[in-house]
Structure formats: C-alpha cells, structure tokens
Amino acid sequence: MSATVLPGTVVPAQHVNLKLGPGLVQRSDAGEAGPSIITTRTGTLNHSSNGSKWWVESNSRRYVPAPQESVIGVVVQKVGDGFRVDIGAAHSASLDGLAFEGATKRNKPNLKIGCLVYARVSLAHKDMEPELECFDAQTRKSEGFGEVKGGFLVRCSLKMCRNLLDPKHFLLPLLGARFPLEAAVGMNGRVWVNAKEPKQIIAISRCIEAVDPDGGGIDEAGIKAFLGTLDI
Amino acid sequence: MRPPSPSIPEKDFLYTSLKESLRLDGRLPMELRTPTLTFGDDLGWVECSLGKTRVLAQVEGKMVKPPPERPYEGIITIHPEISPMASSEYEPGRPSDEEVTITRMLDKVLKRSDAVDKESLCILAGQRVWHIRLTLHFLAVAGNMLDCACLAGIVALKHFRRPDVEVIGDEVTVHEPTERAPIPLAIHHTPFCFTFAFFPDSTIPPVLDPSQLEQRLSAGLISIALNAQRELCVLQKLGGVPLEPDEVLKIVAIAVQKAKELNSIVDARLREDWEGRHVEVR
C-alpha cells in the first residue's frame, strides 16, 4: 500500500511504538491534534503491516550520512593518528587509525592515499564531520570491513545500492551464477566489485548501470538478453 | 569544489583493461559514442548529447553597426557557459583551465577556420551587418565536453535561419519569417572535432572520445578538427605524453574516417528535422 507524496504532506501515522524511517519528521506543533508527522521528501510512502514503521521511499545520488550504514570511502589524507576519507557526502569523514580489528598504538594499518575502505558510519550529524569505523561495534571484529584491494568501483544511485543489498534482488545472484564475483555494496552510491577477468568486471559494471533506476531500470529478462550480447 | 582523484583500484583497473583494449562502457578503443541531436522549436536551437555528456547550443542574430576597420563583414561571437549544473567542479564566475581551453578551441574551430562566410552577413556596408551570437550551455559532463560542444555549435549554425533582408538604396527592410522564408547562413564547410586520450604507459593505445574516468586518468589529450573533405582545421595537443609522427598520422587517418561518418549522420538528422517543419501554403 503506497501513495506518492510531496514534501510537506501530513501523514496519518498513529501507533503506540511508532518508528519513523527516512523522509519523515515529527513536528511538535501546537496544533489541535498534537504533534504531526510530515514528509520531507518526494517519493512513495510505505508502512509496515502493523502500522508501527513508516518511511518514504525515494531515489537520489547525493549521500547523506546516517549511523550504522556501511559505506565505501576513498582515503584522501592522513591526519595525525587517523585518516580523512571521502564518502561522497557534504563533508569528508574521519576514520581513526585505531578503529580496525587488532589495531594497537604500535600496530596501526598503513592505508595509502587513494585506497578504498569499506567502513561503517558510527557518528553522523547534520553539520559535523561524520566518523567511520572499520569493525563491528559489538564484536570488535572486522566482519568484512577494512581496506579493499584490487577490483573496481562502480557508482550508482542510492536506490540501486539498497536494491543490491536486498537478498531477494535478482542481479547479483544472476551474475554470480555465471562467474565467481565479490562485491561490497556501500550505501553511499558506490559498489566495489571484483572478478577474475577484466571483461567480467566490465560486464558487472555495465549491468549495474543498466539496472539502475536512473539509467533505464531494465528488468531480469532484459539483463539476461544484455548478458547474451556481452562476451563472457 | 574539485572532486577527489580516482582511487587506486579504479586507476589500476582502467590501465589493466585498456591494455587488453577493453573500455569500461564496452566500446572499441576507436569508437565514438553515438551522438543524439534534438532540435527545438526555434531555428538554431539544438541539444547534442554524446552518451551522458550534453551540450545545448542556441544561435541568435541581430543587426548592428560594424566596427570601422571591417565594414564589409558580419560579426560572429561564441559564448560557452559552464555552470555548476554541468558538474560540481565548475564554479560560476571563475573559469577553470578546462573552460579556457574549450573557449579557445571553439574559437579556432568555428570562427577562425572560416566555417561561416562573414561577408554574406553584410547588409549595408559600413552601417548594418548581422551579429550572429552562438551560446553554448553545458548541461552534463561525462567526459569529452569539447567534441560535444563543437558538434552542437556547428549543427546549430547549420540549423539557424536568419530573416530575409531587402536593401533598396539606403533603406533596409527586414521581412518577417511569415512573409518571406528565412535564409540559412552561408557555411563553407562543416568542421568536426575529435579528441583522443593518451595514457602514461606507452603500451596502451590511444582512445577516441574519452569518458569521464579515462579523461581524468589520461596523460595527454590531442584534439583534431577537420571536415569531411579531409581538410584539417585545427590540431591541438596540450602537453602530456610525447608522440611519434606516425602515431599522429594514424590518428588523423582515423579522424578522417569518423568525420565522414559524422557528416552523414548530421546531414540525415538536419534533413529529417527540416522535413518535419515543412509547411505548405496553398
């Protein structure tokens, strides 16, 4: 059940444990019915079946950092003990040198300028520099975070990244059935991919661009036909 | 706001795949992106796109008094406008190096190569000439703005029609487009620009029509402007990797072939658009 909304639409969301997702804010108005829920984005309004979770589904290319999201960043500078990483947001993020698994003061990772890291946003506020971590907060183990070597970086829209992270989406299993591949999907519109041969990596990159809602949004049958024309 | 340099994996992968003659968008090394030309309602309004790079060109004409040193020629001015709409690295008001290069190259290709006959723009010697103003807006940048801009410019000049003017003695009468059909500009030849990118590793062959990443990671660019009659207008190489003479000649040969193809595409599109505008008055 979804309706297209514009920013500023009042949403009739009422629940005891109401959770508001992206695109919704609560305005503590001194209105007749108390605080009201207003949309801040254009998109489709969705809610969970029991009405406790509401959100607005929209697409864009510019990332706004939010905590607990995994992102792919490019190291741009070494600052004292840590690094400054570009994640495609308004500010560069800071990544502490000790925020890696098994890092101590004597044993810090040696990241070069220009290398890619898969990290988790630990702190994000509107006007502050976001902070990144390269381990899972509870277990303090890397869980796949850290520097990623080789491969290639593909840029796509934010909706495409969310689609790729969805286990029910068709693209990555379809490509994985044809040849072995590795992928790290960042929520900031960047996907790192790796496969054995360059033409396989190029095929993945072109498929992601083709399925991206911004660039046409081809469906499964279209991608199968497209893969047939590529030489892999 | 300059975007950051490409990351190490992107750089390494680009060089590795170019060594095997594989380009990231699946093109052949010497393949041009197919240009798409969209004409607007006004004559002289054309939007040209090469893949994701889009440039809008608009031609306007007005009558002015010519400068005293050149009383028999019309005036043609070219105004490229790059705004942050094209990409966040371009700031309004402060021309970057790339913008200056593009302005100079457009000047050389469209004005100094005498593509448009200026003497035919003269209405009344010493008193009234046509001032043709070509404005180019860069809408989106995905590599190779220069070729797209040159193509949009020359197609807009070919598409434009100026009002018919009648001169009796010293009296000048401008006829409305509804009274008398407007006249096309006198174009001597149609120059097209082709940009090739070279890479620091000399085993990697040059590529035609570089994309955004290829342009960022190239060691040098060479731009050749020529027309379909194999006449070279401009050859520009701005620094970068030194080239052997036979490499340059090979590139010129490829550019000649592409110019012929592009010329037929442009002619076909212009004819198609003109048929659509054909109005029969009975």
Side-chain angles (χ1 to χ4, degrees):
Chain A
M1 227 207 355
S2 43
T4 311
V5 289
L6 292 174
T9 321
V10 179
V11 170
Q14 289 274 9
H15 197 266
V16 180
N17 286 331
L18 186 61
K19 274 201 161 75
L20 296 178
L24 289 170
V25 285
Q26 182 181 47
R27 276 254 299 270
S28 44
D29 253 353
E32 335 85 33
S36 50
I37 317 282
I38 310 247
T39 55
T40 55
R41 286 191 205 168
T42 317
T44 41
L45 179 66
N46 294 316
H47 60 89
S48 62
S49 42
N50 61 353
S52 64
K53 302 193 177 102
W54 290 71
W55 69 93
V56 178
E57 187 93 37
S58 60
N59 196 6
S60 64
R61 287 194 87 105
R62 177 63 76 171
Y63 177 59
V64 174
Q68 318 314 325
E69 290 192 340
S70 335
V71 293
I72 296 192
V74 181
V75 175
V76 284
Q77 207 185 359
K78 271 203 197 100
V79 178
D81 254 354
F83 308 94
R84 178 152 277 143
V85 177
D86 163 67
I87 53 174
H91 308 280
S92 318
S94 63
L95 171 62
D96 192 37
L98 293 171
F100 290 81
E101 182 189 350
T104 59
K105 277 215 178 112
R106 289 166 194 262
N107 176 21
K108 280 200 283 264
N110 186 13
L111 297 175
K112 289 205 279 270
I113 294 190
C115 70
L116 288 178
V117 282
Y118 190 49
R120 210 172 46 87
V121 179
S122 56
L123 192 70
H125 287 293
K126 201 170 60 148
D127 304 304
M128 252 166 63
E129 225 181 49
E131 284 179 18
L132 303 176
E133 274 177 348
C134 273
F135 52 49
D136 188 57
Q138 268 98 33
T139 66
R140 300 210 75 109
K141 288 210 175 284
S142 67
E143 304 284 345
F145 294 117
E147 185 186 354
V148 283
K149 295 198 177 137
F152 185 59
L153 187 70
V154 183
R155 284 158 209 263
C156 57
S157 66
L158 303 188
K159 184 124 205 289
M160 185 64 197
C161 293
R162 292 195 287 263
N163 286 345
L164 285 173
L165 282 169
D166 180 9
K168 294 190 287 266
H169 190 70
F170 67 86
L171 185 62
L172 288 175
L174 180 65
L175 291 169
R178 285 185 169 237
F179 48 81
L181 64 90
E182 291 182 81
V185 181
M187 294 285 288
N188 54 342
R190 298 174 186 185
V191 182
W192 174 84
V193 293
N194 197 3
K196 222 160 132 239
E197 291 177 39
K199 54 183 181 183
Q200 290 169 349
I201 301 183
I202 291 179
I204 304 175
S205 157
R206 289 181 75 191
C207 284
I208 292 181
E209 263 181 43
V211 178
D212 195 329
D214 266 357
I218 305 186
D219 61 348
E220 190 162 357
I223 279 291
K224 287 198 180 128
F226 181 58
L227 281 172
T229 64
L230 299 174
D231 167 42
I232 25 163
Chain B
M1 186 189 72
R2 286 229 91 203
S5 311
S7 56
I8 297 176
E10 284 177 290
K11 195 154 65 163
D12 289 341
F13 182 67
L14 186 79
Y15 292 152
T16 318
S17 44
L18 280 175
K19 280 205 173 97
E20 298 183 20
S21 296
L22 291 168
R23 286 175 84 171
L24 294 176
D25 44 7
R27 284 187 278 157
L28 295 168
M30 288 298 166
E31 196 184 319
L32 194 60
R33 286 174 282 194
T34 321
T36 321
L37 296 162
T38 319
F39 297 99
D41 287 337
D42 287 339
L43 291 165
W45 193 104
V46 64
E47 186 192 316
C48 171
S49 63
L50 276 178
K52 289 201 186 141
T53 305
R54 283 165 55 193
V55 178
L56 178 69
Q58 192 175 3
V59 179
E60 287 158 340
K62 61 179 192 207
M63 297 199 295
V64 296
K65 194 171 154 72
E69 58 268 9
R70 283 181 209 277
Y72 303 111
E73 286 182 352
I75 308 169
I76 302 180
T77 51
I78 304 178
H79 299 263
E81 317 221 330
I82 303 190
S83 66
M85 175 165 55
S87 171
S88 53
E89 57 192 80
Y90 300 110
E91 289 162 34
R94 202 171 66 88
S96 60
D97 284 343
E98 204 179 345
E99 287 174 55
V100 172
T101 317
I102 290 180
T103 312
R104 279 198 345 228
M105 188 67 176
L106 281 169
D107 200 45
K108 283 189 260 190
V109 171
L110 296 173
K111 252 174 53 173
R112 294 216 254 140
S113 68
D114 279 337
V116 181
D117 182 29
K118 291 208 239 192
E119 286 189 2
S120 67
L121 296 173
C122 178
I123 303 167
L124 198 56
Q127 292 189 25
R128 277 267 172 278
V129 296
W130 281 109
H131 174 182
I132 302 289
R133 187 196 159 103
L134 169 66
T135 319
L136 293 152
H137 295 276
F138 293 83
L139 302 176
V141 164
N144 204 8
M145 274 201 288
L146 179 58
D147 288 3
C148 201
C150 286
L151 184 62
I154 194 65
V155 172
L157 286 169
K158 281 187 105 157
H159 192 242
F160 179 64
R161 303 276 186 273
R162 62 170 175 83
D164 192 6
V165 172
E166 206 176 305
V167 180
I168 305 176
D170 260 353
E171 218 184 274
V172 175
T173 331
V174 181
H175 292 277
E176 287 289 308
T178 43
E179 279 178 40
R180 282 209 204 169
I183 310 175
L185 298 174
I187 299 197
H188 289 156
H189 66 104
T190 317
F192 300 109
C193 186
F194 298 99
T195 306
F196 294 82
F198 283 88
F199 298 94
D201 188 347
S202 50
T203 55
I204 301 178
V207 291
L208 171 62
D209 191 17
S211 67
Q212 181 88 312
L213 194 62
E214 288 164 353
Q215 199 168 339
R216 279 316 291 278
L217 293 171
S218 66
L221 296 170
I222 181 169
S223 300
I224 302 180
L226 40 63
N227 59 25
Q229 286 76 43
R230 303 175 62 111
E231 291 165 341
L232 206 60
C233 308
V234 183
L235 192 143
Q236 169 175 272
K237 182 177 183 302
L238 299 165
V241 171
L243 292 176
E244 300 277 318
D246 32 321
E247 278 187 51
V248 178
L249 288 175
K250 254 194 294 193
I251 287 182
V252 172
I254 295 171
V256 163
Q257 188 203 353
K258 296 291 170 190
K260 288 205 184 102
E261 289 171 17
L262 204 52
N263 197 28
S264 47
I265 294 176
V266 165
D267 274 344
R269 273 300 280 134
L270 280 169
R271 221 182 354 227
E272 203 184 301
D273 174 75
W274 192 242
E275 313 265 285
R277 287 178 204 267
H278 204 69
V279 171
E280 265 201 42
V281 177
R282 288 187 190 277

